[in-house]
Each structure stands twice: as structure tokens, then as C-alpha cells.
Amino acid sequence: MRKLVEVSAGLIEGKTIQFQVNAAEPAEAVEAAGKMLTDTEACAFVYLADTGTEYIYVHFKDHTWPLLAEALKRTEVVPLLVWGKQIMPLDAFHEELGMLLENIEGNDNYAEEFRTAVEEVFHERLASQA
């Protein structure tokens, strides 16, 4: 069974971008897997976290997307996932999310609602890639 957690909030403090998970912290140390996917039914981007024994699917639902878009602009800053006492750099964040955005734009294989929402929120990024 897949373990899912949701990013509840995010903030920018100086040069730091943090995303907060309010779920119960896992007993094992969590490391970034450096991979992102989508969950179009949940209207979310998903970052994979690795405990060494299983993957945890960290959902970034649409309420977090404006901060994701801002994080993409700051290529020199690796966003952090704060989960209880654990702080995990989101390795390969810019590359993974950038690749997903390129693939989603204008692609009818994604749910229309999801694709339209992505194109709206990330329009600056998509325009700069054209």
C-alpha cells in the first residue's frame, strides 16, 4: 500500500523556501528520491520520498502551486520539505518539475482540468520555455 502525505503550507524566508507536511512523522529517516510525478485525479504534483524500505508520495495540491512556481524561478535555491523534525532538501526539484511542465503543456493525455490549472499557474515558466 502506498503512503501518501500532503503538503499543507509553504513559506519563503529570505533565501529559503520551505514546504510543510503536518502528517505524523515516519519513524525512519526520510530522504529525497529526486523524482516527481503527477496525480491528475488529486490535481497534484507528487514528490517521492524514500525511507529505505518504501516510497512516500508527497502531494503538492493546487493550493501550493503558486509557491512551486516561485521556487522554480529561484534556480539557485533548493526547496526544503519540513516534516516534523526532519528537513529534506528536494533534490532535482527544478529539473523534475520543469520536465513535467514541458510534458503537460498542451498534452491531452492529462486530465483537462489538471492541464488547464497547470497552464494557468505556471504560465510564466511555460512562456519562458517557448
Side-chain angles (χ1 to χ4, degrees):
M1 185 163 104
R2 292 192 297 184
K3 181 170 183 174
L4 308 172
V5 296
E6 186 176 323
V7 171
S8 58
L11 66 100
I12 297 174
E13 270 188 57
K15 293 186 177 187
T16 304
I17 299 172
Q18 294 182 0
F19 293 96
Q20 181 73 41
V21 172
N22 285 333
E25 185 178 355
E28 310 98 333
V30 178
E31 294 184 9
K35 302 281 184 220
M36 285 187 86
L37 4 131
T38 61
D39 181 343
T40 58
E41 288 180 16
C43 206
F45 288 99
V46 181
Y47 191 92
L48 296 182
D50 188 356
T51 67
T53 58
E54 67 179 340
Y55 285 116
I56 298 173
Y57 294 74
V58 181
H59 277 220
F60 288 82
K61 292 197 175 180
D62 56 357
H63 70 275
T64 66
W65 293 1
L67 190 55
L68 285 178
E70 183 60 33
L72 272 176
K73 293 178 191 175
R74 300 178 184 214
T75 57
E76 75 286 353
V77 176
V78 176
L80 303 173
L81 185 71
V82 178
W83 189 352
K85 294 179 182 167
Q86 297 190 50
I87 299 174
M88 178 180 71
L90 297 176
D91 296 336
F93 166 84
H94 296 95
E95 298 81 5
E96 288 288 311
L97 185 54
M99 274 191 327
L100 285 173
L101 294 175
E102 285 179 34
N103 193 41
I104 293 167
E105 184 181 28
N107 188 336
D108 291 333
N109 290 325
Y110 288 90
E112 183 177 354
E113 181 182 336
F114 177 75
R115 181 180 49 81
T116 303
V118 167
E119 290 171 348
E120 186 176 306
V121 174
F122 294 95
H123 66 277
E124 285 182 38
R125 169 64 182 228
L126 294 169
S128 72
Q129 291 176 208

